[in-house]
Each structure stands twice: as C-alpha cells, then as structure tokens.
Amino acid sequence: MPRKPKQDRSRATVDAIVEAGFIALSQRGPADTTTRHIAEIAGVGVGSLYEYFENKQAIFNAMSQRFISDTAAMIKPLTPTLVQMPIDEAIRTLLNQFRSFLEQDDGRYLKCVRYAMAVDFELHLDPLYKVLNNVIMRYLMEHPETLRVSRIPAITYIGINGGIFAVIRHLSDPDPMVSFDEMADGLASMIGHYIAAELSHLRDVVR
C-alpha cells in the first residue's frame, strides 16, 4: 500500500512526482502518460513512485488537488478588493485573474485542465467552490441590498460554474468566436444586469 510522506525528503519526492505529472500530461495527454514517463521526468525510479502512488490515476488525483488548492490560494487574497467593486467589475476582474493564473508558467495548468474530465478534476472542486462561495457571501454582506435579490443560489451556481468552464473553454479554443474580453464582459454584464433589474424592481415595489 502506498505510504504518506512524513519527512521533508519524502514530501520533496512526492512534490517532484506531482510536478512531473503536470509536465507529462501537458506533453502527452492522459491516455499516453504512464507512470514510467512521470518517474523519468521526476528523476526518480518507478519503484520509488509506487511507494507513494498506487497508479497513474492516483497521481492525477494529487494533481487535481494541487490545481484546486493553488487556484483557491490565488483567489483568497483578492476577496477584500472584489467585495468593494460593482458586481460586474468584480466578475470581470476575477475572470481575468483566473486567466492569468492558468497561463502562467507557460500555461502548465491550462494545458492540463483541457483534460479535466479525463483526469477527474471536477471531483476535487469542492475547496474551490467553498472559496468562491465565501467571496459571494462576503459580497452580499458588504452590499446588503443584494440580499433581497431573488434566485441568488441559482445565480451563484451559474456564475461560478459558468465562469470556471467558460474561461477554460475559451483559452483552450484555438479559434474562439469572441475575444476573451468579450466573453468576460458578456458573463459579467449578464449577472450585473440581472441584479440591477431585480433591485430596480424591488425599489419600484416599495414605492
């Protein structure tokens, strides 16, 4: 049975294997990536790899968790700034930050999330959803008038999932129908206009 790393050297080996997994996946895709390829890139023996990972899928799972953890860590420091912005500007800013995050390090993460379904990235999204939900809840508390808007859970669900997968889909498309800015503006405007219309309606009812 694979063991958990407890010492610094063991953790460094696991980190090297996970990093090598990203490189191998981006070069070969999930079907053609093997544990031997990953071990060679990591500079460890296949036997050492199997000390920590049962198979290729176990490495993919660790990669998914690393990607989600790094994404959440990117978003957390942005929260105080985002909650002070108008909703459409906050969405646009977050989408652009996510784009920059995916494209850094020669697009390492972007190359891998193109295979998200094949490596089960979506099974590890809960920590990211929690961070994004926290941003939304803090935004609502900072702008209490928005708490009166109907269907907030539905809008939240659409905004989070639509934003994540729209960015990935757009950056993975070699010839997108619209520019990234147009896509981000479209999603931001759609949600912003809905909330503005709901608040305007509520004000009319009060009158």
Side-chain angles (χ1 to χ4, degrees):
M1 177 180 292
R3 60 190 179 92
K4 293 184 178 180
K6 295 182 179 180
Q7 298 180 347
D8 289 345
R9 183 175 179 181
S10 298
R11 285 191 287 269
T13 299
V14 168
D15 285 343
I17 293 169
V18 172
E19 292 298 316
F22 282 112
I23 296 171
L25 183 62
S26 67
Q27 292 175 344
R28 298 173 175 272
D32 292 331
T33 293
T34 68
T35 52
R36 184 171 297 279
H37 295 141
I38 295 172
E40 288 175 355
I41 295 171
V44 301
V46 175
S48 296
L49 182 150
Y50 283 120
E51 287 184 32
Y52 303 102
F53 296 98
E54 184 176 359
N55 50 37
K56 177 176 71 174
Q57 188 57 50
I59 300 173
F60 287 164
N61 289 342
M63 291 162 55
S64 299
Q65 292 168 11
R66 175 75 57 84
F67 167 69
I68 297 302
S69 175
D70 286 353
T71 306
M74 177 272 295
I75 294 171
K76 284 180 180 178
L78 299 175
T79 303
T81 300
L82 293 173
V83 300
Q84 298 296 326
M85 295 177 172
I87 186 65
D88 56 341
E89 185 180 344
I91 293 170
R92 198 176 295 109
T93 298
L94 187 54
L95 293 178
N96 277 289
Q97 288 293 328
F98 187 40
R99 174 192 186 180
S100 297
F101 171 75
L102 290 175
E103 291 181 332
Q104 69 184 14
D105 296 328
D106 195 30
R108 178 186 69 168
Y109 278 150
L110 177 59
K111 292 172 184 175
C112 292
V113 295
R114 289 170 179 165
Y115 305 111
M117 299 299 289
V119 298
D120 294 334
F121 272 16
E122 75 279 6
L123 298 181
H124 304 278
L125 286 171
D126 279 353
L128 180 56
Y129 286 146
K130 288 178 181 177
V131 170
L132 290 170
N133 274 309
N134 178 63
V135 174
I136 291 167
M137 291 306 300
R138 288 184 59 178
Y139 191 93
L140 294 173
M141 297 305 295
E142 190 70 28
H143 305 270
E145 70 278 6
T146 58
L147 291 168
R148 302 171 61 202
V149 173
S150 62
R151 294 188 286 273
I152 282 293
I155 295 300
T156 297
Y157 181 87
I158 293 168
I160 290 176
N161 288 279
I164 291 172
F165 293 105
V167 171
I168 293 172
R169 177 71 181 88
H170 189 279
L171 296 180
S172 300
D173 189 342
D175 187 25
M177 295 178 61
V178 297
S179 70
F180 185 90
D181 288 342
E182 288 172 326
M183 181 275 294
D185 285 342
L187 183 60
S189 296
M190 179 179 67
I191 296 176
H193 288 165
Y194 172 79
I195 291 176
E198 284 282 299
L199 291 175
S200 177
H201 173 71
L202 290 169
R203 286 192 289 269
D204 290 341
V205 169
V206 171
R207 293 192 192 117

